[in-house]
Amino acid sequence: MRKKRVLHISTAHRPYDPRIVYKQCPSLAERYEVYCAIPDADASVSADIHFIRLPFFKQVILRLLITCPLIVFKTIWLRPAIIHIYVPEFLPFAYLYRLLGASVVYEVQENLFKKMHLKSFNRGWLLEKPFYWLDHLARKHFFFVLTEHGYLNTYTNLSKPYAVVYNYPLLSFLEPYRRPYRQASDPVEFFYIGWISFERSLDTMLEAFALLKEDYPHFRFHLFGRRLFTQERLESVPAYQTVKDNFIFYDYADQRQAFSYAAKAVAGLALLKPLGDYPESYTTKMFEYMALGLPVITSDFLLYQDVVERHDCGFCLNPYNAILLAEKLRYLIENPAAAEAMGQRGIEAAKTNYNWDIEKRKLINLYEIIEQY
């Protein structure tokens, strides 16, 4: 029997987005014929997925006026049974597929109702008003995937079935990058992956590492991810002048490249300030660090404490407290046996509770429900 065709659509994600490209599409390819329209798509990632290459624009208005119509032109003929969209700007176009018989899944990866005011880009009433209207309209007509349970406090009026599918790590993907924990004689290195911003405690980390440099002047901090600030603002932070030769910014990169730098790290950092939807949303990198066997240093949100402190795999601390952060960094450097034990407990917790094999069942189950709906 021929597999049913599904189409995943994003105008904003990058070609190696781990959730879309390495987790969701491959998991669904076991049961469906999967197409994925994504900017700068790399067909070599998976032979089981039919990738459709799109241009990439940072501005939402260009994505709306250029990328979205291009997606329709390139994919409407596929007549998919299900389309799965990841960006609100495609919501009005999704109705074209619905008219042709497709079911629509709208995936909410951030709570813009709590986060819009934090954005310095792609905002303004001309974008925000249509988003609020389209988002509420989608709740009446589309199926939903939510990446956090906390989003249900906002999305209280969904008319159709939904699933909360956490972005837990794919253990088989991370396995090749896991190494025995560093020796005390190894260089002092730290690791970060994800969006890089002052809302994600970059200023606190700069201050803490400036303190750490007094004792460990040659440390290295590897940071992978898009920078959401100007170089001028970074230069304006006094502590940056102290550690600028120790902080290595790599910008966005395929995780296959980034995680090779995590092998000998002392710890993985995932500090977020209590802004927007952060306190009710897991930071994915926390679980990735655990799966890699790195001690985790993250924020003292109750949601995070329930993971990190319950499994004793790192530290949760005030994301504004640079002195305390520096103390924890020093402790992990100077107590490698304790740090290694934290990393091992993190691995076991990821294997037991926080991995993609658990979450993909929820996604597949939702698709099965949609087929019968």
Side-chain angles (χ1 to χ4, degrees):
M1 182 182 296
R2 183 173 179 177
K3 294 180 178 179
K4 289 189 176 181
R5 185 173 291 168
V6 302
L7 170 63
H8 285 235
I9 296 171
S10 176
T11 63
H13 290 82
R14 306 308 292 132
Y16 307 108
D17 180 84
R19 180 178 175 95
I20 299 174
V21 173
Y22 293 135
K23 298 174 190 173
Q24 300 207 140
C25 286
S27 297
L28 293 168
E30 299 169 8
R31 296 168 177 251
Y32 301 93
E33 183 182 9
V34 178
Y35 285 76
C36 180
I38 195 168
D40 302 321
D42 182 354
S44 68
V45 169
S46 174
D48 297 325
I49 303 166
H50 305 281
F51 285 99
I52 299 169
R53 190 180 181 90
L54 304 173
F56 175 71
F57 300 104
K58 290 184 179 180
Q59 296 90 342
V60 167
I61 192 66
L62 293 180
R63 302 202 295 252
L64 183 65
L65 296 177
I66 299 174
T67 312
C68 291
L70 180 63
I71 292 169
V72 175
F73 176 76
K74 285 190 170 188
T75 66
I76 197 73
W77 61 273
L78 291 172
R79 299 295 294 270
I82 300 171
I83 70 166
H84 189 133
I85 65 175
Y86 296 86
V87 287
E89 62 261 27
F90 200 76
L91 285 172
F93 298 88
Y95 282 93
L96 295 175
Y97 297 81
R98 188 168 180 264
L99 286 173
L100 294 174
S103 298
V104 180
V105 178
Y106 177 34
E107 179 160 319
V108 178
Q109 295 190 344
E110 58 180 346
N111 190 340
L112 290 174
F113 291 88
K114 293 186 176 182
K115 207 171 181 178
M116 187 74 79
H117 69 284
L118 297 176
K119 292 185 175 292
S120 58
F121 192 66
N122 284 330
R123 57 173 304 193
W125 70 268
L126 192 60
L127 293 175
E128 292 174 32
K129 293 294 185 183
F131 160 71
Y132 294 138
W133 181 75
L134 287 166
D135 186 273
H136 281 87
L137 193 64
R139 302 180 199 193
K140 297 180 181 179
H141 301 132
F142 299 157
F143 301 88
F144 272 69
V145 168
L146 307 168
T147 58
E148 301 291 343
H149 238 102
Y151 295 170
L152 290 172
N153 296 326
T154 298
Y155 288 84
T156 58
N157 55 341
L158 301 179
S159 300
K160 293 191 175 184
Y162 66 88
V164 177
V165 182
Y166 293 115
N167 197 20
Y168 290 159
L170 177 61
L171 299 184
S172 61
F173 178 85
L174 294 177
E175 182 67 34
Y177 305 101
R178 189 187 303 140
R179 299 286 186 274
Y181 192 71
R182 63 184 294 276
Q183 299 297 308
S185 58
D186 288 336
V188 176
E189 299 185 351
F190 296 88
F191 184 76
Y192 177 98
I193 189 169
W195 299 96
I196 306 172
S197 69
F198 287 84
E199 292 77 20
R200 293 165 175 82
S201 302
L202 178 60
D203 49 350
T204 305
M205 292 190 291
L206 289 168
E207 293 171 18
F209 278 100
L211 295 172
L212 184 72
K213 190 169 181 176
E214 297 173 5
D215 298 317
Y216 299 94
H218 304 298
F219 80 86
R220 290 289 182 269
F221 188 14
H222 303 282
L223 299 99
F224 288 85
R226 182 180 165 195
R227 297 171 22 161
L228 303 181
F229 52 86
T230 64
Q231 184 63 26
E232 289 74 20
R233 184 173 182 194
L234 181 61
E235 295 279 355
S236 71
V237 179
Y240 175 66
Q241 304 305 321
T242 303
V243 299
K244 63 182 179 181
D245 294 331
N246 306 84
F247 274 51
I248 307 171
F249 293 99
Y250 295 88
D251 207 353
Y252 170 82
D254 185 347
Q255 285 193 341
R256 293 175 295 185
Q257 174 191 346
F259 284 139
S260 63
Y261 286 80
K264 294 298 182 181
V266 174
L269 282 84
L271 279 173
L272 296 92
K273 295 177 180 177
L275 305 170
D277 65 343
Y278 293 156
E280 65 181 28
S281 307
Y282 283 129
T283 174
T284 302
K285 49 187 164 284
M286 174 173 72
F287 300 108
E288 292 169 341
Y289 299 155
M290 290 167 61
L292 288 167
L294 298 180
V296 177
I297 298 179
T298 191
S299 302
D300 57 353
F301 304 156
L302 291 177
L303 190 67
Y304 297 6
Q305 290 175 320
D306 188 53
V307 174
V308 174
E309 294 182 355
R310 178 155 61 97
H311 297 287
D312 192 13
C313 58
F315 299 111
C316 295
L317 49 87
N318 186 318
Y320 297 97
N321 193 333
I323 294 174
L324 181 58
L325 174 56
E327 289 177 3
K328 298 305 183 184
L329 297 174
R330 239 185 234 104
Y331 174 85
L332 293 173
I333 295 170
E334 296 170 0
N335 296 273
E340 182 177 8
M342 288 181 182
Q344 287 300 314
R345 289 190 289 269
I347 291 173
E348 292 306 312
K351 288 180 178 179
T352 305
N353 300 300
Y354 313 109
N355 62 78
W356 180 249
D357 283 343
I358 296 170
E359 298 306 298
K360 78 174 184 180
R361 297 183 201 129
K362 301 178 187 176
L363 180 66
I364 292 171
N365 182 61
L366 177 64
Y367 270 57
E368 291 174 344
I369 291 171
I370 293 172
E371 287 187 62
Q372 303 300 321
Y373 200 78

